[in-house]
Amino acid sequence: MASLKELAKQGEKFLGGHRACAGCGATIIARQVLLAAQYPVVVGAATGCLEVISTIYPYSAWNVPYIHNAFENVAATMSGVEVAYNALKKKGKITKELRFIAFGGDGGTYDIGLQSLSGMIERRHRVLYVCYNNEAYMNTGIQRSSATPYGAHTTTSPAGTKIPGKLQPRKNLTEIIIAHEPAYAAQATIGYWNDLVTKVRKALDANGPSFINIFSPCRLGWAYPPEKTAAITRLAVETCVWPLYEYENGKYRITVKPKEKKPIVEFLKMQGRFSHLLKLKDDTPIKEFQAEVDRIWEKLLKRSAE
Amino acid sequence: MASLKELAKQGEKFLGGHRACAGCGATIIARQVLLAAQYPVVVGAATGCLEVISTIYPYSAWNVPYIHNAFENVAATMSGVEVAYNALKKKGKITKELRFIAFGGDGGTYDIGLQSLSGMIERRHRVLYVCYNNEAYMNTGIQRSSATPYGAHTTTSPAGTKIPGKLQPRKNLTEIIIAHEPAYAAQATIGYWNDLVTKVRKALDANGPSFINIFSPCRLGWAYPPEKTAAITRLAVETCVWPLYEYENGKYRITVKPKEKKPIVEFLKMQGRFSHLLKLKDDTPIKEFQAEVDRIWEKLLKRSAE
Amino acid sequence: MALLEIRWHGRGGQGAKTAALLFADAAVETGKYIQAFPEYGPERMGAPVFAFNRLSDKPILQHCGIKSPNIVVVLDPTLMETIDVTEGLADDGIILVNTQKTAQEIKEQLKIKKQKVYVVDASKIAKDILKRDIPNTPMLGALIKVSKLLDFEPMLESVKKRLEHKFPNRPDVVEGNIKAIIRAYEEVKE
Amino acid sequence: MALLEIRWHGRGGQGAKTAALLFADAAVETGKYIQAFPEYGPERMGAPVFAFNRLSDKPILQHCGIKSPNIVVVLDPTLMETIDVTEGLADDGIILVNTQKTAQEIKEQLKIKKQKVYVVDASKIAKDILKRDIPNTPMLGALIKVSKLLDFEPMLESVKKRLEHKFPNRPDVVEGNIKAIIRAYEEVKE
Amino acid sequence: MIVARTGNEAMAEAMRQINPDVVAAYPITPATEVVQLFASFVADGLVTTEFVPAESEHSALSACVGASAAGARVMTSTSSQGLALMHEILFIAAGMRLPIVICLVNRALSSPINIHCDHSDSLASRDSGWLQIFTENTQEAYDTTIMAVKMAEEIMLPAMVTTDGFIISHGMERIELIDDKKVPKWLGERKVVNNLLDIDKPITLGSLDLQDYYFEHKRQEIEAMNNCLPIIEKVQKDFGDTFGRYYPIVDEYKMDDAEVAILAMGSTGGTAKVAVERMREQGKKVGLIRCRIYRPFPKQAMLRAITKVKALGIMDRADTFSTMGGHLYNDCRSILYDADKKPLIKNYIYGLGGRDISIEEIETVFEQLLKIKNTGKVDKDIVYYGVRGE
Amino acid sequence: MIVARTGNEAMAEAMRQINPDVVAAYPITPATEVVQLFASFVADGLVTTEFVPAESEHSALSACVGASAAGARVMTSTSSQGLALMHEILFIAAGMRLPIVICLVNRALSSPINIHCDHSDSLASRDSGWLQIFTENTQEAYDTTIMAVKMAEEIMLPAMVTTDGFIISHGMERIELIDDKKVPKWLGERKVVNNLLDIDKPITLGSLDLQDYYFEHKRQEIEAMNNCLPIIEKVQKDFGDTFGRYYPIVDEYKMDDAEVAILAMGSTGGTAKVAVERMREQGKKVGLIRCRIYRPFPKQAMLRAITKVKALGIMDRADTFSTMGGHLYNDCRSILYDADKKPLIKNYIYGLGGRDISIEEIETVFEQLLKIKNTGKVDKDIVYYGVRGE
Amino acid sequence: MKKEKKGWKEIPIGLVLDSGTSKEFETGDWRSDKPIWDEKKCTHCLICWIYCPDSAIIIKDGKVQGIDYKYCKGCGICAEECPPKIKAITMVREEK
Amino acid sequence: MKKEKKGWKEIPIGLVLDSGTSKEFETGDWRSDKPIWDEKKCTHCLICWIYCPDSAIIIKDGKVQGIDYKYCKGCGICAEECPPKIKAITMVREEK
Ligand SMILES: Cc1ncc(C[n+]2csc(CCOP(=O)(O)OP(=O)(O)O)c2C)c(N)n1
Ligand SMILES: Cc1ncc(C[n+]2csc(CCOP(=O)(O)OP(=O)(O)O)c2C)c(N)n1
Ligand code: SF4
Ligand code: SF4
Ligand code: SF4
Ligand code: SF4
């Protein structure tokens, strides 16, 4: 269990001066993940908010080696960086122990980057892939992704007079990745920094591909007051909208169990993206959303009991 | 339970005169799947053996509407066909009930076409995706795919003096798809035509995206005598190398349980692609393969017991 | 009327772009030719942003940026500390600032001699009437006044239309904004 | 020696391509310039296929297809029923067929007057010696004979080398193939 | 109806009025809004379109191919990296002769990644067999989007209509909209030649073509491109006759007595027209030529225009990375090869990655051209205009 | 060492001798063998390369970008649809100035899908900022693959070396191999300018470039392309001096006294040389020009060659789908614009999708050119040669 | 299998092709072994038919009529799969 | 934030950039609310630090030194997360 004092000892690896909205969750993730790393790391990022706000030429917020290639290929790009490292190490041109971390948003991971990630895991590259999951395409102005929850309003799944927000449930990427049998997989979020730090360290020590899906509030896309960024993630966990668990050599483990499971409405009502659902006379959308959450939570309890 | 007499009543939908190798499993799949369909179907195919051998201009073996676009996008292409059908139906330009089937090889499905398929399922297009899985890229001359089993020889995972065939286990695509929660998912193979036919009919009746992963012997890539094409699939099932099961509204069901589970060696020794493994003094590769098969089978038994 | 070029200074989220668009949109209905375009950047909430307008009686063909505006509108006075809002402003140009200060104080702060300065406490107006610090619509009123080339009544009408279209079932919001525009139109001073 | 062009007829899987490549590869070592290329199609096992060779003492520059070969080699006689193996064959050309029939019978079957026909039962040779019906290597021997422009000994040597390289720890296979080649070289007749 | 719209709004309005059967798309700056607005039309039931929020542009266009082959009227929108990711399927859509229409917002290609305007994205796919129409302003973008549907369907080739990223896509202008009902009426229904969904007469689309047929199929496609200009002109005339706005193949501005001229594409055309005015006020005989239809390349019309002047400044908002300068520059030199009147030509590569081009800078170009005309000498034939440190 | 090798074998041998740090690739006919053979070298421990069997070409090239940025010497191989799928990343690799080398086997682009040779695939990416070198035969493919590594690394731009699909890739020829040890020795180590793996001096690669810097970065890339021909010549000379085989920028055959000539790329060059011989035997003064270095386009060398004759037949194995004919045709007309000697030019679009081109057909072209020379008239300036029904 | 190939103006536009035309392409000559069907033994269970990759088992009113040698490539699956107790199909070498 | 921009011959080749240079870009002026840190109340638990999106909580030897207003955008997370019983950070409106 890491202590903040310990983490604070090392210098910052993700600096201020970036262009993120005030209170952006993605940047907190970048900081917490890099602070957790106990090895020197080389970072790759997919196109997306995190990349855009951190590397506007001639300014870079990254205090570690960083590469950006395109939107859909950070996993493939880091696969290449990792094998180059292996090759150069074999030839003695590099001696240090390095680790590799790929950052992608949910769009760059659940959708356009899924194949690249699937290939990276199947080929067993030793890279930690971090999906900072703000549940929509924020950089382009809040479009739906397959991580966008049922009913949420986005600009491509708008709450209109005929259609009440997104019609499909979230793609369960963490389960999809677990079906790939990576060396390590987990869900985390910033509100539980300690849980997050522990998972990052496990992932970097795992001898193979690892994946962490990190719930990442976006004050713009979710429409909530910026100071609530950390608080909102705790509600997501307490309502089981975002269960914290990990998968390691074939076993599931829930790392943070809410004392009492709150109804999702508590989570929804904090955010503008769901406000139309709460206004609807007909509460089936919310019921369906709740049912979906319960179903997945039940399954998780079962799996972790196995 | 369909009878062959019944199936034979309708005319052939996949004709002779195609250019497949004598005894090709993929073409048997095309026939069995189309014969099973109780609706008029529109077919799409990904680039690969099935497409190449069936549509060399000016000859087409397909006796149903057919479209080929590219290698990696048959799922997206058929998504488009399906929505066009919905749109035209809304406008009364089409009245008939049609169904849509996409055929892709394992390369076009597990690897380069995975994302396209994932998107099709996430958007809930009512298309049956059939992966005819011959466990390698055959059309281009037997290269490894992520469906290629551990230890198998292919031209890009050759059994060499330093490396004994493919080093990674099979990607478990069926589980990956199940994690997408399609309306219906299953594994099937030609040797159990009745099981296959039943699954195709369930899939076409399912109100949403469906997926069937069909084990497809390739006499060229697997190196076995052509007349064994059906027999070999039964061995795959009896050794649990290819379990026959289905997933429907949250439940797993094993559709064909082998009376006694045979050791995988019985399956391996029929095929040239594994011959080097049997020649090795060190039998760890085979042991690991067996362990992998057992692990997945155990999991399946557990899941289907849930 | 010759071509008039306007530059808006605001912060991401403050509605400088919205104001510029609304201004242009409304002006069209009064028979003018217009352009409205934001400064093109991936800037996020809080960051300094620009928006621009062109206004004319004749068709506007050019699509280049605006380097020397006739009018500069400052939505957020704190911007003046870090950004030279007078940059490129024509000698006979006008600066319109949302502030509690007097025009004179602003003149001194910006060290400008030739150009005219107009001030209005749009934030206060917004807070009074709309109960939120969104100075952009009030500033519209002030702008119409100082620009001297749009008839107030018709502009007000067409702004109203647009607000009604934007907030179909919020007459209160529409009313509030219109009130704010009128008050700013009246309160803006040199 | 002028340029010699050869066309091979076989079936997918029968090794027409392999034979053409092996032939060319071996000929290079004897100091010749060569080309070997398959007919380019996605054909599968069993389908009729072609392969081609060019052979010369001088560098070969052209990369076009071969339309009028000097020699045609038929690995599988059943092909003659569906395919015109004599197509484009020069009047002074040669046809070499793997068959039990006599050259005369083949002449009649193919209705050819001018060109020479050579026959050899390569399948039998293969089955006798290699215990499998793979007529391609034996046919090499026959081809060397009829083509009259390669010295047998050096060709045999370099073919052997290549087989040894291909089957490192199968001396039996190498021996068998060499035997088969020699026998075909001897048995081929007009 | 006179309104104020941004380029993206205008294209989205056109799509709403066209009410295509299928729209499959993926967001990308600066084209996102087109899709976004259209999605809201769907959500509000203003269109009956099936909207497919694809998981990538590659899949978006692949779905468009499937839908178009199935007989639907299909549109999409993208930009830059999105178009690049569609590259493979662009050629396939054209080869299958599917009249898909893309509302393309021009944006510079990575790398470096940049979200602003240049023409490298559409020009990098100029061989794909798509019609390419570059528009100057919001009105033209709106009108051309509607016309493109008709052109594509009659020619049986897909079409891209482009606007300059941000400059037009996010720039609000005064435009006139056509009545909602008139648009579908003018377009009529799509006539489907090969109907994939006709199960009574099953067809096979997209077969494997070997050496024996590929050339013949491509020859048909080439012929379609070679012969489609008259159809384009017909559609433009018909549009003008119906709605009162006429568009040329090549837009000539003050060219009748011009001694020197600038050739450009996209929004720069408008800026250059203002520069022409200013120069003319000083009595200088300058003109502007704007290439509107870029694919097919209008050889004759372009020759007619560019041979009117003694000195021609070709402004390319992209480079070919070939040592040969920009695209229009090479296209024009090529078609001029056997012309008897040959202007002196200078190539200005400008505005890459959204670098602004001002009226003054264009006036400077005119001054240089006048000098060239007088001296008869082109000092440097390819220059990079507006780059720092040149 | 004299051996017999197919084009794919030759390129794979070159890769084995180069022993790159990383190879990431994806199979595609007719390039598959290159990767296949290389994979067997890896399996047999003949190279120390890290081999990445990517799940698509897009990922293959993306991994190459990552590996090259990390300081590795990187190669891959692909063809046609594979290259098209890499399109987006091609521009990125060049923009990041990464010296990746692709062994490209030319194959026609879909649709229709076809596995045979034409040049549409590499030509469709000619703007991407990659060096493009078209080879005539197996020997040249082998030698050029080795040279390309050095060129790319010195120029800091990626390079494609192409062979004609099946014709060369699957055609066995007699070639001379260099001793294994000599190749790495001649190449030396890659000098890495920006080292991503240097954690003590962390750098940021691939940042977002807005209007204020994009043009400057692209200008650097353009400059690299504009100035790299001398480096290419230097490397070719150095290679010749070391290994005895010299290669030109533009390959001229019997051009000294030629009155008419054909300009072509790839394997057709060889076939045309034989045609030249036959014509010469009849006393006809014909010659061949083969464009070997296509990107950067060698303006000077090409001008020198093509202005030697009165009539020039430009044979393009691809079309631009622009109404303007083939690529070389337009490139040459463009560079000839201000030349004082101008040959009569006729464009022959031929061989699409692997349509064979015979010596006799090329002789016919020469006859037509001689007629053009004599009559001084070009009847039809763009013809589709060898298509049925023309 | 020779037939005159059409010119570019004659073939239909849009890369289209009538379905089922492979009937015109006979693959029977690929065969090196030939299935012989014994009508007397056959119980018409249709097992051979469901497994034939080349749709070469001719069926009429639910009964096997024989084998279509125009397409049969002689893979031998039918003989292999015909029930052990029946074995109504046997493979013989194509005589040359 | 004005600084002379380099010409194309002066900027490094290969789209490279030194890491950590965002320090030169001050985002403090984006702030409309300002966190005030009360040294006396602070227990140096560092909670505010781990949550600050702009790395604007200045730490030295494991102790909070104050807030770096050059970068702080005033999101208010620090004040929100500072333990209830402590609340050593309070947000005040930036006076204009
Ligand atoms: C091929 C391609 N398509 C689209 C884009 C435009 N684009 C850039 S970032 C982005 C969305 C990113 O969303 P996500 O991955 O969720 O990250 P976020 O912005 O939400 O942090 C899109 C659509 C692109 N750059 N490249
Ligand atoms: C983008 C692209 N990459 C590569 C290819 C080449 N290619 C065609 S089919 C194929 C392999 C197909 O393998 P699979 O999907 O397993 O089907 P199979 O051939 O085994 O039936 C490949 C690599 C292609 N056509 N397009
Ligand atoms: S939009 Fe959301 S994700 Fe992007 S910077 Fe702002 S808060 Fe962060
Ligand atoms: S290679 Fe395999 S899959 Fe392809 S046709 Fe032959 S048997 Fe069928
Ligand atoms: S959270 Fe509060 S108590 Fe803890 S360090 Fe920060 S200011 Fe001090
Ligand atoms: S207000 Fe936000 S940015 Fe400022 S110090 Fe607190 S947490 Fe950091």
Side-chain angles (χ1 to χ4, degrees), chain E residues 65-119:
Chain E
V65 165
S68 187
R73 181 169 280 166
V74 181
M75 300 182 75
T76 183
S77 173
T78 190
S79 180
S80 185
Q81 304 311 103
L83 189 69
L85 190 55
M86 290 177 173
H87 191 73
E88 179 191 12
I89 312 305
L90 289 175
F91 287 75
I92 290 174
M96 293 178 80
R97 309 294 303 275
L98 301 172
I100 299 161
V101 172
I102 293 185
C103 295
L104 184 82
V105 181
N106 283 119
R107 160 182 156 182
L109 282 173
S110 298
S111 116
I113 185 170
N114 168 289
I115 57 175
H116 297 290
C117 174
D118 69 33
H119 297 155

Side-chain angles (χ1 to χ4, degrees), chain B residues 40 55 57 60 64-69 72-73 76-77 80-81 83 87-88 90-91 93-94 96 115-116 123, chain E residues 21 48 50 52-53 55 58 62-63 66-67 88-89 92 189 196-197 199-200 203-209 213 217:
Chain B
T55 64
Y57 196 90
S60 170
V64 294
Y66 164 101
I67 181 170
H68 163 259
N69 180 345
E72 62 275 36
N73 62 358
T77 306
V81 173
V83 293
L88 297 171
K90 258 190 288 175
K91 299 185 177 157
K93 294 186 189 172
I94 295 182
K96 292 216 178 67
Q115 193 163 292
S116 177
R123 295 186 305 268
Chain E
D21 300 306
T48 58
E50 291 276 328
V52 180
E55 83 289 345
H58 193 285
S62 299
E88 179 191 12
I89 312 305
I92 290 174
E189 300 264 307
L196 180 66
L197 296 189
I199 50 152
D200 303 322
I203 57 173
T204 290
L205 290 176
S207 59
L208 172 63
D209 245 17
Y213 279 102
H217 278 119

Side-chain angles (χ1 to χ4, degrees), chain C residues 131-174:
Chain C
K131 309 280 169 276
R132 280 171 58 216
D133 182 354
I134 38 173
N136 57 348
T137 29
M139 286 301 272
L140 271 182
L143 175 60
I144 297 168
K145 177 75 154 291
V146 305
S147 70
K148 294 199 180 59
L149 36 80
L150 289 156
D151 316 336
F152 188 55
E153 288 314 321
M155 271 302 276
L156 204 59
E157 260 320 292
S158 74
V159 167
K160 186 156 182 226
K161 252 208 233 144
R162 272 146 193 81
L163 291 172
E164 282 164 348
H165 178 264
K166 206 161 157 201
F167 308 97
N169 29 38
R170 297 293 309 278
D172 52 325
V173 175
V174 178

